[in-house]
Amino acid sequence: MSGAGTPEGRLPEGRLLEGRVALVIGGSRGIGAGVARAFGRHGAAVGVNYLRSADAAKEVVSDIEAGGSRAVAVAGDAADAGDVAEIVRQTADALGDIDVLVCNAVGSTENAIDRVRKGLTLALDNAEDVQARVATQLATTLFPAREVLPGMRRRGGGSIVLIGATASRGRPGRGIAEISVAKAAQDALARSLAVELGPDRVRVNVVAPGMVPTDANAGPHQEPMMGEMAKVTPLGRVAYVDDVADTVVAFASGLTRHVTGAYVGVDGGRSML
């Protein structure tokens, strides 16, 4: 169940992003890879950032190029200001000024998942981890946004899409405080950036998935867990990677040209219950 899935009613295979240059931070795996591939299908040239998954990033690039769009894999730590400057420079040198940015990085979640499995679920017992996660999340949003802004201004505007989480506004699961709090901080930052960058015609929006089956949460527990979630989801199933990617395409494109500061949950309505 860890694949992208094939949800019904997908966006048509048009070219909604023809002529756009996009950078997907954290674009080598999971949701980020799905977004990068969807951008390529819709005609964008795509920078695929990765930290450690070089082979996975190269595979995403190959898929995009096979579909007729340009792409480049760019290594670097999105939480490091110097690395981010180089990520943006290399992408722009290869593809042109960036006018679509997707911030998908959050840092490793292995420790958080391990604590839940061990029953160590109280935020107060992991206060330093919560604090560190918030700092990382804000860094992986602020640094890329800062670096792409000059190019967006040269291109007359742009779209910044932050990948959030429905746990930041809905009922958070026990043991994931560091994720829900970090994403809530990112939500607040998105609203501030939407106001500050509006005069530059740069839109800033949040696309917030619920639980999505990816390789990050793969294992024998995945299918039964997703099945239980589907039972309490109004649309009757969990979201797939492609559900999230298509929503990001819409926010990157002219379909949402007068939308900024928005938060859209992609979880089949589960977070509203």
Side-chain angles (χ1 to χ4, degrees), residues 129-224:
D129 295 308
V130 174
Q131 184 180 34
R133 179 73 62 182
V134 171
T136 298
Q137 184 68 81
L138 293 181
T140 60
T141 304
L142 283 164
F143 295 155
R146 182 176 66 185
E147 292 299 325
V148 302
L149 183 58
M152 288 185 173
R153 283 172 170 158
R154 285 191 291 269
R155 290 178 70 107
S159 174
I160 298 174
V161 182
L162 311 182
I163 304 300
T166 54
S168 71
R169 297 196 181 186
R171 182 180 183 275
R174 187 177 176 87
I176 61 168
E178 66 180 78
I179 304 298
S180 59
V181 173
K183 291 298 185 180
Q186 186 187 51
D187 294 347
L189 177 59
R191 294 193 295 273
S192 293
L193 291 178
V195 171
E196 293 176 0
L197 302 184
D200 293 305
R201 298 181 64 193
V202 174
R203 301 180 295 111
V204 184
N205 295 290
V206 177
V207 172
M211 184 62 75
V212 176
T214 68
D215 58 354
N217 51 46
H221 64 285
Q222 187 187 74
E223 188 166 351

Side-chain angles (χ1 to χ4, degrees), residues 55 86 99 110 115 153 182 210 247:
D55 289 342
E86 188 63 14
D99 58 355
E110 291 178 2
R115 283 196 299 272
R153 283 172 170 158
T247 305

Side-chain angles (χ1 to χ4, degrees), residues 4-196:
T6 308
E8 72 282 358
R10 290 192 54 197
L11 284 174
E13 296 295 328
R15 306 287 282 186
L16 294 174
L17 302 177
E18 194 74 58
R20 305 289 177 89
V21 176
L23 171 61
V24 182
I25 298 294
S28 63
R29 298 170 54 197
I31 289 172
V35 169
R37 289 185 171 102
F39 280 1
R41 288 195 300 271
H42 283 278
V46 188
V48 180
N49 163 249
Y50 67 94
L51 181 57
R52 299 183 183 90
S53 303
D55 289 342
K58 291 176 183 176
E59 183 178 344
V60 174
V61 168
S62 295
D63 290 345
I64 293 170
E65 292 177 335
S69 294
R70 295 182 297 147
V72 61
V74 188
D77 183 351
D80 181 277
D83 276 15
V84 172
E86 188 63 14
I87 290 165
V88 171
R89 185 193 67 78
Q90 289 183 27
T91 303
D93 284 350
L95 305 175
D97 281 335
I98 296 159
D99 58 355
V100 176
L101 170 68
V102 177
C103 293
N104 177 56
V106 65
S108 172
T109 59
E110 291 178 2
N111 289 341
I113 293 171
D114 187 55
R115 283 196 299 272
V116 172
R117 288 172 178 164
K118 292 178 179 178
L120 306 174
T121 60
L122 297 181
L124 297 181
D125 293 335
N126 302 290
E128 291 80 10
D129 295 308
V130 174
Q131 184 180 34
R133 179 73 62 182
V134 171
T136 298
Q137 184 68 81
L138 293 181
T140 60
T141 304
L142 283 164
F143 295 155
R146 182 176 66 185
E147 292 299 325
V148 302
L149 183 58
M152 288 185 173
R153 283 172 170 158
R154 285 191 291 269
R155 290 178 70 107
S159 174
I160 298 174
V161 182
L162 311 182
I163 304 300
T166 54
S168 71
R169 297 196 181 186
R171 182 180 183 275
R174 187 177 176 87
I176 61 168
E178 66 180 78
I179 304 298
S180 59
V181 173
K183 291 298 185 180
Q186 186 187 51
D187 294 347
L189 177 59
R191 294 193 295 273
S192 293
L193 291 178
V195 171
E196 293 176 0

